[in-house]
Amino acid sequence: MGEELKVIVFKLGEEEYGIEVDKVQTIERMMPITRVPKTYSFVKGVINLRGVVIPVIDLRGRFGLPETEYTDQTRIIIVAVNEMEVGFIVDSANDVMDLNSDVIDSPPDVVGGIKAKYLHGVARISEERLLVMLNLSEVLNRSEIIQLESLED
């Protein structure tokens, strides 16, 4: 029997994704983002959240998906990656789910246009519902983390 995982479920387009709850600090509504020059195009800038400056990444841009207008449903999920806080802009985040690690399969090469290296696996929730589990350490690779860390100074 696999271990129980609690995951935050969020959407990008029609696909549902999951991040383990223990990696998520908070989920925030969209707020003003200060642009930062000379960063990757998917780095939208930084936010000041309760006195902490946090770099913000548009996950659509990160995964090479078409970017869309932000709506009332758009959220910023603040996660801790390698002892650094980063905000991920997602289309919506509206569910917490208990998941047994047994239902998570290795990811196929590409899911919804996203390369497997960004994915931890795919959880089959039901016949019609799949949850794509993110591999946070790959979503931000080392050189990007170094660049983002310089934004916090």
Side-chain angles (χ1 to χ4, degrees), residues 29-116:
R29 294 184 178 278
M30 275 309 280
M31 59 184 68
I33 297 173
T34 304
R35 289 285 307 150
V36 178
K38 299 190 181 88
T39 55
Y40 296 99
S41 62
F42 57 82
V43 176
K44 291 301 168 198
V46 295
I47 57 173
N48 184 334
L49 186 63
R50 295 181 274 285
V52 179
V53 174
I54 299 174
V56 177
I57 288 174
D58 191 317
L59 271 190
R60 283 177 162 272
R62 176 65 179 113
F63 294 153
L65 301 171
E67 292 187 24
T68 60
E69 292 291 314
Y70 301 139
T71 69
D72 290 346
Q73 298 301 309
T74 305
R75 294 290 180 268
I76 302 174
I77 300 178
I78 310 295
V79 298
V81 180
N82 303 328
E83 296 166 28
M84 185 181 122
E85 290 186 333
V86 178
F88 291 146
I89 299 174
V90 301
D91 293 351
S92 64
N94 48 10
D95 207 0
V96 176
M97 179 183 289
D98 288 317
L99 204 59
N100 190 304
S101 61
D102 287 347
V103 302
I104 301 175
D105 297 324
S106 307
D109 290 342
V110 174
V111 176
I114 298 172
K115 296 184 189 82

Side-chain angles (χ1 to χ4, degrees), residues 8 19-27 77-80 136:
I8 301 278
I19 299 178
E20 293 167 41
V21 165
D22 61 359
K23 299 204 171 48
V24 175
Q25 309 287 314
T26 178
I27 299 175
I77 300 178
I78 310 295
V79 298
L136 289 184

